[in-house]
RNA sequence: CGGGGUGUAGCGUAGCCCGGUAUCGCGCUUGGUUUGGGACCAAGAGGUCGUAGGUUCGAAUCCUGCCACCCCGACCA
């Protein structure tokens, strides 16, 4: 098995190789589209389960809307169409026929669609067009719907998980009778995402609101969680939008309120995607491979037997099967890798590459002493444990590992969040270690654009509950009332 | 979509400048010895040299188009 490039020498090469060699995903025959392999997909499934549970707990139901959107729908909300027009895949025909030259098939020119269909880049338009029929009275509100789906955005430059032409996500779309309720919903879902990121992904995030430049096309406010990767670049891990009445107006979604007045409904939308896989990988993993938080690891504990004779293997198996049964009873996923085709050393390296949080090795010496060797993936610590205590120890250790991974990421984030007060300091910070850079900004899009042109850094967000503090914009020197967070980003 | 690079067995590569149908390692198969950090020995199998054309007696090698991937830019709610 090829060795990974070192993070310190070739970060993006490390990421690309890791995604492939850990069996998470690979490129497909279709440009920009990936194949998510079983091991990678099972991590995504765990994310889905956790998120889905949280969505249900906050009152949402799943539904499904079409992959195809009539072209005309997209043009109904002006800024929305502008945001997506350049990256839409378009269906123009509905039939193929045999090529006249006998070689393969061609698009049948007689089968042209009357109205072309867009492959959804996001579903606001088709959903709001549908909501129009669902809403008459305040009694029909709120509508709290989520869908798990694939979307297509025809990206020029793609990277596995981080930016692909097709990706998987969930998109929540809600409709409310009042502005306050919709705003509260958008903020609530941001909290759901932050809670998920921190407790399940072990990923500390910065909650904030986007500047107009970075806002979702069609939203009044875009909230986001931003995470910091090990190379000092930020990654937007989730967004939640307060849509105001923009889509209701575009699709004429009105309701009669208690006071018999007709009004447009208020909307939100929110989503996270398979991009979270990229965040997970880049936040925690090391030069030996993936480091998975136990809450998302498809295999939480792997047990590797070391033996010479069949009798030894039988004795080990008997012991291990007892442990396994007890651990599974506690909801822990355990793999006993008793394959005879690979050596123990090979297996050790393999499970490190795949990020399995705990490895237990047990051999003849352990049998004699009633012990086993436990190894942590996150700290690489190894220690001997009494065989009678292992079943009790594992769940505690999994919790400890989850926490250690989170704390490590948190201290990295804290150490790489810095305040700067001058343009020189700002440029130096961007050029050296990156990170979240807290700086004063005069509040104008022009300044934001110029800073981006000169340094590639963008405003990731204005933190929620931001401290109000008078200062001077690092670029223009104009007065500023608060600091915002700049970073290079994915 | 622009600039640069790469594409040779499942993976990683040599050969390309200077044309004569392909090197090495890992992996794979079989047999044997092994097994506490990616085991060893032996014998094997596996290649339209990304793809389509062109030049040539002859192309992995030279030329052109196309495709994919990587890096840089543009783009990225």
């Amino acid at each position: 098995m090829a060795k990974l490039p070192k993070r310190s020498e070739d970060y993006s090469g490390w990421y690309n190789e890791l995604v492939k060699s850990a069996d998470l995903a690979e490129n497909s025959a279709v440009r920009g589209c990936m194949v998510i392999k079983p091991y990678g997909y099972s991590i995504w499934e765990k994310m889905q389960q956790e998120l889905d549970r949280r969505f249900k707990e906050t009152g949402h139901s799943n539904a499904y809307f079409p992959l195809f959107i009539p072209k005309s729908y997209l043009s109904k909300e002006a800024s929305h169409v502008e945001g997506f027009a350049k990256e839409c895949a378009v269906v123009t025909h509905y039939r193929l026929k045999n090529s006249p030259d006998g070689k393969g098939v061609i698009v049948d020119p007689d089968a042209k669609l009357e109205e072309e269909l867009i492959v959804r880049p996001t579903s606001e338009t088709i959903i709001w067009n549908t909501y129009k029929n669902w809403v008459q009275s305040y009694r029909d509100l709120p509508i709290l719907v989520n869908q798990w789906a694939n979307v297509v955005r025809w990206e020029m430059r793609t990277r596995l998980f981080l930016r692909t032409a097709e990706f998987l996500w969930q998109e929540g779309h809600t409709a409310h009778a009042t502005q306050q309720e919709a705003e509260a919903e958008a903020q609530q879902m941001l909290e759901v995402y932050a809670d998920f990121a921190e407790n399940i992904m072990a990923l500390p995030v910065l909650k904030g609101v986007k500047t107009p430049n970075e806002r979702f096309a069609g939203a009044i406010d875009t909230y986001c969680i931003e995470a910091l990767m090990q190379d000092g670049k930020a990654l937007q891990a989730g967004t939640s939008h307060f849509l105001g009445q923009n889509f209701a107006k575009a699709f004429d979604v009105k309701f009669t309120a208690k006071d018999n007045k007709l009004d447009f409904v208020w909307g939100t939308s929110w989503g996270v995607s398979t991009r979270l896989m990229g965040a997970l990988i880049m936040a925690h993993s090391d030069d030996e491979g993936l480091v998975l938080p136990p809450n998302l690891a498809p295999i939480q504990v792997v047990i590797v037997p070391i033996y010479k004779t069949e009798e030894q293997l039988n004795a080990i198996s008997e012991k291990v099967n007892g442990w396994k049964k007890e651990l599974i009873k506690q909801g822990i996923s355990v793999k006993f890798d008793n394959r005879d085709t690979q050596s123990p050393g090979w297996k050790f390296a393999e499970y490190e590459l795949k990020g399995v949080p705990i490895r237990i090795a047990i051999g003849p010496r352990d049998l004699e002493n009633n012990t086993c060797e436990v190894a942590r993936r996150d700290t690489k610590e190894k220690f001997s444990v009494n065989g009678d205590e292992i079943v009790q120890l594992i769940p505690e250790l999994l919790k400890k590992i989850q926490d250690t991974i989170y704390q490590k990421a948190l201290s990295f984030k804290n150490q790489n969040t810095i305040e700067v007060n001058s343009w020189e300091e700002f440029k130096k910070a961007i050029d050296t270690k990156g990170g979240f850079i807290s700086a004063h900004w005069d509040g104008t899009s022009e300044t934001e654009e110029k800073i981006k042109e000169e340094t590639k850094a963008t405003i990731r967000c204005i933190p929620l509950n931001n401290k109000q503090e008078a200062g001077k914009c690092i670029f223009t020197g104009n007065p500023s009332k608060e600091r915002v967070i700049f970073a290079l980003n994915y």
Side-chain angles (χ1 to χ4, degrees):
Chain A
M1 192 149 307
K3 266 225 148 181
L4 291 173
K6 300 230 174 301
R7 282 166 299 173
S8 55
E9 290 166 12
D10 179 8
Y11 192 84
S12 66
W14 166 81
Y15 174 83
N16 293 336
E17 283 305 311
L18 178 52
V19 169
K20 284 182 222 167
S21 58
D23 270 337
L24 301 178
E26 61 189 35
N27 286 300
S28 71
V30 183
R31 180 197 198 117
C33 296
M34 65 179 160
V35 174
I36 305 176
K37 298 179 77 177
Y39 191 67
Y41 198 81
S42 60
I43 297 172
W44 174 241
E45 281 180 318
K46 290 209 153 200
M47 290 184 177
Q48 284 184 301
Q49 282 165 19
E50 289 290 343
L51 286 164
D52 203 63
R53 186 168 59 75
R54 286 165 166 76
F55 298 156
K56 306 264 171 70
E57 278 171 6
T58 45
H60 304 86
S61 302
N62 287 331
Y64 188 78
F65 294 84
L67 171 67
F68 301 117
I69 297 173
K71 192 177 73 178
S72 58
Y73 284 25
L74 219 67
S75 59
K76 290 193 179 178
E77 213 285 333
S79 59
H80 188 65
V81 63
E82 202 173 319
F84 288 105
K86 277 178 275 185
E87 48 187 30
C88 285
V90 185
V91 180
T92 57
H93 293 75
Y94 59 86
R95 195 164 62 210
L96 300 173
K97 66 176 188 181
N98 287 324
S99 173
D101 65 9
K103 290 177 191 165
V105 290
I106 59 166
V107 174
D108 186 343
D110 295 332
K112 200 162 164 26
L113 287 172
E114 225 160 273
E115 179 173 5
E116 288 154 344
L117 296 171
I118 310 300
V119 181
R120 62 179 167 221
T122 179
S123 302
E124 273 78 4
T125 57
I126 186 91
I127 286 178
W128 281 91
N129 183 73
T130 307
Y131 283 180
K132 176 183 165 61
N133 302 320
W134 291 4
V135 179
Q136 273 99 47
S137 150
Y138 71 93
R139 293 189 180 91
D140 300 322
L141 295 169
I143 300 173
L144 302 174
V145 164
N146 175 65
Q147 85 165 341
W148 290 95
N150 58 339
V151 287
V152 169
R153 298 177 189 178
W154 213 258
E155 301 287 354
M156 288 303 171
R157 215 174 138 183
T158 59
R159 287 185 78 188
L160 292 172
F161 291 122
L162 296 173
R163 176 166 290 122
T164 47
E166 180 194 15
F167 56 91
L168 307 183
W169 77 344
Q170 58 70 216
E171 45 181 327
H173 296 273
T174 69
H176 307 263
T178 66
Q179 173 174 358
Q180 294 87 322
E181 199 183 307
E183 282 179 339
E185 165 77 4
Q187 286 168 22
Q188 172 187 239
M189 297 323 288
L190 188 76
E191 294 298 330
V192 166
Y193 288 152
D195 175 77
F196 166 79
E198 300 193 341
N199 292 307
I200 304 303
M201 294 179 68
L203 186 67
V205 293
L206 182 63
K207 291 178 279 192
V209 62
K210 290 290 188 188
T211 62
N213 265 3
E214 301 278 327
R215 193 181 283 158
F216 173 72
I220 305 291
D221 273 317
T222 290
Y223 300 97
C224 62
I225 52 172
E226 295 282 329
L228 194 59
M229 302 296 102
Q230 292 182 66
D231 61 349
K233 286 164 91 173
L235 187 146
Q236 178 179 294
T239 51
S240 178
H241 315 291
F242 168 60
L243 301 173
Q245 294 172 308
N246 290 353
F247 284 91
K249 285 177 180 164
F251 289 89
D252 194 33
V253 187
K254 289 180 192 159
F255 74 106
T256 308
K258 266 187 188 167
D259 59 6
N260 201 32
K261 279 185 188 152
L262 203 57
D263 195 7
F264 290 109
V265 306
W266 300 82
T268 81
S269 65
W270 27 275
V272 296
S273 71
T274 37
R275 198 173 209 221
L276 287 178
M277 294 287 292
L280 183 74
I281 296 158
M282 285 198 292
H284 304 313
S285 301
D286 62 24
D287 290 346
E288 276 72 53
L290 277 182
V291 175
L292 293 175
N295 288 343
L296 287 175
I299 302 166
Q300 293 171 309
V301 180
V302 65
I303 305 173
V304 176
I306 296 155
Y307 60 94
K308 286 196 171 73
T309 66
E310 193 142 335
E311 292 77 57
Q312 285 172 342
L313 177 61
N314 289 340
I316 289 169
S317 298
E318 197 180 324
K319 181 157 269 192
V320 166
N321 285 329
W323 294 343
K324 202 176 150 183
K325 211 170 135 192
E326 290 301 315
L327 291 170
I328 287 170
K329 216 184 274 176
Q330 300 183 58
I332 293 165
S333 60
V334 186
K335 177 171 175 176
F336 178 37
D337 189 350
N338 59 359
R339 284 178 299 174
D340 193 28
T341 50
Q342 314 291 353
S343 71
W346 190 93
K347 291 175 187 173
F348 291 176
E350 177 73 4
Y351 291 112
E352 270 161 22
L353 181 63
K354 292 199 159 189
V356 175
I358 298 176
R359 181 187 73 229
I360 299 175
I362 173 165
R365 286 206 303 269
D366 292 305
L367 278 183
E368 271 175 42
N369 306 325
N370 187 29
T371 56
C372 61
E373 183 197 70
V374 173
R376 286 176 66 160
R377 176 64 183 88
D378 60 332
T379 59
K380 306 211 177 75
E381 287 171 281
K382 288 195 272 196
F383 42 88
S384 187
V385 174
N386 186 295
D388 299 329
E389 291 165 8
I390 193 76
V391 169
Q392 198 196 330
L393 175 102
I394 292 297
E396 293 165 14
L397 187 55
L398 286 171
K399 280 203 189 81
K400 205 183 283 180
I401 291 172
Q402 179 82 26
D403 188 55
T404 303
I405 294 175
Y406 174 76
Q407 291 300 337
K408 190 179 173 198
L410 181 62
S411 78
F412 178 84
K413 171 179 165 257
N414 290 340
Q415 280 164 20
N416 289 282
T417 301
I418 56 164
E419 290 195 352
V420 303
N421 295 303
S422 71
W423 183 236
E424 280 62 44
E425 277 183 87
F426 183 86
K427 280 198 293 194
K428 194 179 156 215
I430 294 288
D431 287 344
T432 53
K433 64 177 196 168
F436 286 144
I437 300 170
S438 177
H440 279 285
W441 161 62
D442 65 15
T444 68
S445 287
E446 296 74 53
T447 302
E448 191 178 357
E449 287 290 346
K450 280 178 189 153
I451 292 173
K452 185 180 176 183
E453 270 169 40
E454 293 205 16
T455 65
K456 290 189 205 160
T458 53
I459 298 176
R460 299 324 302 150
C461 69
I462 303 161
L464 292 189
N465 307 316
N466 205 19
K467 188 172 79 176
Q468 299 299 295
E469 165 195 306
K472 283 184 182 171
C473 174
I474 43 149
F475 189 76
T476 60
N478 292 335
S480 152
K481 61 180 170 48
E482 61 182 342
R483 290 175 180 273
V484 299
I485 300 297
F486 287 87
L488 298 174
N489 73 297
Y490 279 96

